[in-house]
Protein backbone atom coordinates (compact mmCIF):
# COMPACT_ATOMS: atom_id res chain seq x y z
CA UNK A 1 0.00 0.00 0.00
CA UNK A 2 1.47 3.32 -1.06
CA UNK A 3 0.40 6.22 1.11
CA UNK A 4 -0.94 9.20 -0.79
CA UNK A 5 1.38 12.21 -0.63
CA UNK A 6 -0.96 14.16 1.64
CA UNK A 7 -1.65 11.33 4.08
CA UNK A 8 -0.26 12.07 7.55
CA UNK A 9 2.81 10.21 8.75
CA UNK A 10 2.25 7.95 11.74
CA UNK A 11 4.48 8.22 14.80
CA UNK A 12 7.32 5.68 14.74
CA UNK A 13 7.02 2.95 17.38
CA UNK A 14 9.25 3.60 20.39
CA UNK A 15 8.66 0.48 22.51
CA UNK A 16 12.10 -0.95 21.78
CA UNK A 17 15.59 -0.77 23.27
CA UNK A 18 18.14 -1.64 20.59
CA UNK A 19 18.55 -0.49 17.02
CA UNK A 20 21.12 -1.32 14.37
CA UNK A 21 21.66 0.94 11.37
CA UNK A 22 23.12 -0.75 8.29
CA UNK A 23 24.05 1.56 5.40
CA UNK A 24 26.40 1.56 2.43
CA UNK A 25 28.71 4.46 3.20
CA UNK A 26 30.13 6.70 5.89
CA UNK A 27 27.82 9.79 5.76
CA UNK A 28 24.64 7.90 4.76
CA UNK A 29 23.17 8.18 8.26
CA UNK A 30 24.18 11.83 8.62
CA UNK A 31 22.26 12.95 5.54
CA UNK A 32 18.99 12.93 7.48
CA UNK A 33 18.55 9.91 9.73
CA UNK A 34 21.07 10.94 12.40
CA UNK A 35 18.57 13.41 13.84
CA UNK A 36 16.29 10.49 14.72
CA UNK A 37 19.25 8.62 16.20
CA UNK A 38 19.98 11.66 18.38
CA UNK A 39 16.40 11.56 19.68
CA UNK A 40 16.61 7.82 20.36
CA UNK A 41 19.92 7.88 22.23
CA UNK A 42 18.74 10.88 24.27
CA UNK A 43 15.81 8.69 25.34
CA UNK A 44 18.25 5.99 26.52
CA UNK A 45 18.03 3.63 23.57
CA UNK A 46 21.14 1.85 22.25
CA UNK A 47 22.08 2.30 18.61
CA UNK A 48 25.01 0.81 16.66
CA UNK A 49 26.12 1.45 13.09
CA UNK A 50 27.37 -0.95 10.43
CA UNK A 51 28.90 0.52 7.26
CA UNK A 52 29.00 -1.91 4.34
CA UNK A 53 31.97 -0.04 2.79
CA UNK A 54 34.62 2.30 4.09
CA UNK A 55 33.59 4.94 1.56
CA UNK A 56 36.92 4.77 -0.22
CA UNK A 57 35.55 5.85 -3.61
CA UNK A 58 33.88 8.96 -2.20
CA UNK A 59 36.50 11.67 -2.67
CA UNK A 60 37.84 12.28 -6.15
CA UNK A 61 41.06 13.92 -5.03
CA UNK A 62 42.01 11.23 -2.50
CA UNK A 63 43.57 7.86 -3.15
CA UNK A 64 41.15 5.12 -1.99
CA UNK A 65 43.44 3.70 0.71
CA UNK A 66 43.94 7.10 2.30
CA UNK A 67 40.29 8.00 1.72
CA UNK A 68 39.11 4.90 3.59
CA UNK A 69 41.26 5.83 6.59
CA UNK A 70 39.98 9.42 6.64
CA UNK A 71 36.34 8.48 6.20
CA UNK A 72 36.44 5.74 8.81
CA UNK A 73 37.76 8.26 11.34
CA UNK A 74 35.16 10.84 10.31
CA UNK A 75 32.39 8.25 10.73
CA UNK A 76 33.48 7.32 14.25
CA UNK A 77 33.54 11.01 15.26
CA UNK A 78 30.22 11.60 13.59
CA UNK A 79 28.51 8.67 15.32
CA UNK A 80 29.75 9.80 18.74
CA UNK A 81 27.98 13.16 18.22
CA UNK A 82 24.62 11.38 18.29
CA UNK A 83 25.44 8.94 21.09
CA UNK A 84 26.62 5.99 18.99
CA UNK A 85 29.85 4.37 20.18
CA UNK A 86 29.87 1.24 18.03
CA UNK A 87 30.64 1.56 14.33
CA UNK A 88 31.69 -1.48 12.31
CA UNK A 89 32.83 -1.69 8.70
CA UNK A 90 32.11 -4.77 6.59
CA UNK A 91 34.72 -3.91 3.97
CA UNK A 92 32.73 -4.41 0.77
CA UNK A 93 34.01 -2.38 -2.19
CA UNK A 94 32.63 1.14 -2.43
CA UNK A 95 30.65 1.86 -5.58
CA UNK A 96 30.32 -1.75 -6.69
CA UNK A 97 28.47 -3.41 -3.80
CA UNK A 98 26.76 -6.56 -5.00
CA UNK A 99 23.32 -7.43 -3.69
CA UNK A 100 23.58 -11.14 -3.11
CA UNK A 101 24.14 -13.92 -0.63
CA UNK A 102 27.60 -12.78 0.61
CA UNK A 103 26.18 -9.37 1.54
CA UNK A 104 23.10 -10.91 3.16
CA UNK A 105 25.40 -13.22 5.12
CA UNK A 106 27.44 -10.32 6.50
CA UNK A 107 24.36 -8.30 7.42
CA UNK A 108 22.64 -11.30 9.03
CA UNK A 109 25.76 -11.87 11.14
CA UNK A 110 25.68 -8.25 12.32
CA UNK A 111 21.98 -8.52 13.18
CA UNK A 112 22.55 -11.76 15.12
CA UNK A 113 25.43 -10.17 16.99
CA UNK A 114 23.68 -6.93 17.89
CA UNK A 115 20.17 -8.38 18.42
CA UNK A 116 18.20 -5.26 17.51
CA UNK A 117 14.45 -4.88 17.57
CA UNK A 118 14.68 -2.09 14.99
CA UNK A 119 16.94 -2.11 11.93
CA UNK A 120 17.47 1.16 10.09
CA UNK A 121 18.73 1.63 6.55
CA UNK A 122 18.41 4.17 3.78
CA UNK A 123 16.47 4.30 0.57
CA UNK A 124 16.49 1.05 -1.40
CA UNK A 125 14.17 2.35 -4.11
CA UNK A 126 15.17 3.35 -7.63
CA UNK A 127 14.81 7.07 -7.09
CA UNK A 128 14.61 9.56 -4.24
CA UNK A 129 11.21 10.58 -5.59
CA UNK A 130 10.91 12.54 -8.80
CA UNK A 131 13.70 11.98 -11.28
CA UNK A 132 16.76 11.75 -9.07
CA UNK A 133 18.15 8.25 -9.62
CA UNK A 134 19.39 6.46 -6.50
CA UNK A 135 22.87 4.91 -6.50
CA UNK A 136 23.48 1.17 -6.98
CA UNK A 137 25.12 0.85 -3.54
CA UNK A 138 22.09 2.27 -1.73
CA UNK A 139 19.69 0.09 -3.69
CA UNK A 140 21.75 -3.04 -3.11
CA UNK A 141 22.27 -2.47 0.61
CA UNK A 142 18.69 -1.44 1.36
CA UNK A 143 17.27 -4.51 -0.37
CA UNK A 144 19.84 -6.81 1.22
CA UNK A 145 18.99 -5.41 4.67
CA UNK A 146 15.30 -6.15 4.16
CA UNK A 147 16.22 -9.70 3.11
CA UNK A 148 18.88 -10.28 5.77
CA UNK A 149 16.65 -9.52 8.75
CA UNK A 150 14.57 -12.48 7.62
CA UNK A 151 17.70 -14.61 7.24
CA UNK A 152 18.82 -13.65 10.75
CA UNK A 153 15.61 -15.04 12.20
CA UNK A 154 16.01 -18.46 10.59
CA UNK A 155 18.66 -20.63 12.19
CA UNK A 156 18.91 -22.85 9.10
CA UNK A 157 20.07 -19.91 7.00
CA UNK A 158 23.81 -19.26 7.47
CA UNK A 159 23.85 -21.99 10.18
CA UNK A 160 27.61 -21.52 10.66
CA UNK A 161 26.87 -18.23 12.42
CA UNK A 162 26.26 -18.17 16.15
CA UNK A 163 22.52 -17.80 16.65
CA UNK A 164 21.49 -15.55 19.53
CA UNK A 165 19.93 -17.27 22.45
CA UNK A 166 20.51 -17.84 26.11
CA UNK A 167 21.30 -14.53 27.75
CA UNK A 168 18.66 -11.86 27.66
CA UNK A 169 15.55 -11.77 25.60
CA UNK A 170 15.56 -11.09 21.87
CA UNK A 171 12.35 -11.66 20.05
CA UNK A 172 13.97 -10.94 16.68
CA UNK A 173 13.79 -7.85 14.49
CA UNK A 174 10.35 -6.26 14.70
CA UNK A 175 10.73 -3.46 12.17
CA UNK A 176 12.96 -2.19 9.38
CA UNK A 177 12.85 1.59 8.98
CA UNK A 178 14.04 3.02 5.65
CA UNK A 179 15.13 6.67 5.75
CA UNK A 180 15.08 8.82 2.62
CA UNK A 181 12.39 6.69 0.98
CA UNK A 182 9.93 8.43 -1.35
CA UNK A 183 7.25 6.20 0.23
CA UNK A 184 7.57 7.29 3.86
CA UNK A 185 4.85 6.13 6.24
CA UNK A 186 6.14 7.06 9.71
CA UNK A 187 8.20 9.79 11.39
CA UNK A 188 10.24 10.65 14.46
CA UNK A 189 9.86 14.19 15.76
CA UNK A 190 13.15 16.10 15.94
CA UNK A 191 13.51 18.74 18.63
CA UNK A 192 16.13 21.49 18.81
CA UNK A 193 18.65 19.62 20.91
CA UNK A 194 18.70 16.59 18.65
CA UNK A 195 18.80 18.83 15.60
CA UNK A 196 21.96 20.49 16.93
CA UNK A 197 23.60 17.13 17.49
CA UNK A 198 22.62 15.97 14.00
CA UNK A 199 24.19 19.10 12.50
CA UNK A 200 27.41 18.46 14.46
CA UNK A 201 27.31 14.84 13.32
CA UNK A 202 27.14 15.76 9.62
CA UNK A 203 29.81 18.42 10.07
CA UNK A 204 32.28 15.74 11.20
CA UNK A 205 32.48 14.59 7.57
CA UNK A 206 34.87 17.45 6.87
CA UNK A 207 36.96 15.91 4.11
CA UNK A 208 33.90 14.58 2.31
CA UNK A 209 31.90 17.82 2.55
CA UNK A 210 34.99 19.83 1.56
CA UNK A 211 34.97 17.91 -1.71
CA UNK A 212 31.28 18.65 -2.34
CA UNK A 213 30.95 22.27 -1.37
CA UNK A 214 32.91 25.50 -0.95
CA UNK A 215 30.57 26.56 1.86
CA UNK A 216 31.99 26.39 5.42
CA UNK A 217 31.30 22.90 6.77
CA UNK A 218 29.16 24.03 9.73
CA UNK A 219 26.86 26.18 7.66
CA UNK A 220 26.57 23.46 4.99
CA UNK A 221 25.65 20.92 7.70
CA UNK A 222 23.17 23.31 9.32
CA UNK A 223 21.36 24.18 6.12
CA UNK A 224 21.21 20.59 4.87
CA UNK A 225 19.91 19.20 8.17
CA UNK A 226 17.32 21.98 8.60
CA UNK A 227 16.08 21.26 5.09
CA UNK A 228 16.00 17.50 5.68
CA UNK A 229 13.97 17.66 8.91
CA UNK A 230 11.50 19.99 7.22
CA UNK A 231 10.70 17.59 4.38
CA UNK A 232 8.10 15.57 6.26
CA UNK A 233 6.74 18.39 8.41
CA UNK A 234 3.69 19.06 6.29
CA UNK A 235 2.59 15.45 6.79
CA UNK A 236 3.46 15.42 10.51
CA UNK A 237 1.46 18.23 12.03
CA UNK A 238 4.04 20.85 11.10
CA UNK A 239 6.68 19.22 13.29
CA UNK A 240 10.29 18.79 12.19
CA UNK A 241 10.94 15.11 11.76
CA UNK A 242 12.83 12.28 10.14
CA UNK A 243 10.47 10.28 7.94
CA UNK A 244 10.81 6.54 7.40
CA UNK A 245 9.16 3.87 5.31
CA UNK A 246 8.45 1.28 7.99
CA UNK A 247 8.31 -2.47 7.41
CA UNK A 248 6.93 -4.67 10.18
CA UNK A 249 7.98 -8.26 10.65
ZN1 LIG B 1 25.77 6.74 0.33
Amino acid sequence: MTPSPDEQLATMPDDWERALAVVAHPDDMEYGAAAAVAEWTAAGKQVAYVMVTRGEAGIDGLDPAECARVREAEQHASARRVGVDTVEFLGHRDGVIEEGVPLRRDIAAAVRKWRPELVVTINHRESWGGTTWNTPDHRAVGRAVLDAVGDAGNRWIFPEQPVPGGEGKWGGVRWVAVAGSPKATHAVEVREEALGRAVASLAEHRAYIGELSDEPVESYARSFTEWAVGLGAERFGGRKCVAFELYSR
Side-chain angles (χ1 to χ4, degrees), residues 163-208:
V163 170
E167 11 63 81
K169 56 174 165 55
W170 184 54
V173 174
R174 295 167 65 194
W175 309 275
V176 180
V178 182
S181 168
K183 301 195 173 186
T185 54
H186 288 67
V188 174
E189 183 177 359
V190 175
R191 292 159 299 181
E192 282 310 307
E193 210 243 319
L195 180 63
R197 292 164 73 203
V199 169
S201 175
L202 178 55
E204 291 289 355
H205 291 280
R206 285 175 193 285
Y208 181 71

Side-chain angles (χ1 to χ4, degrees), residues 24-28 122 135 137-138 208:
H25 312 115
D27 81 51
D28 283 353
I122 69 162
T135 71
D137 280 2
H138 298 151
Y208 181 71

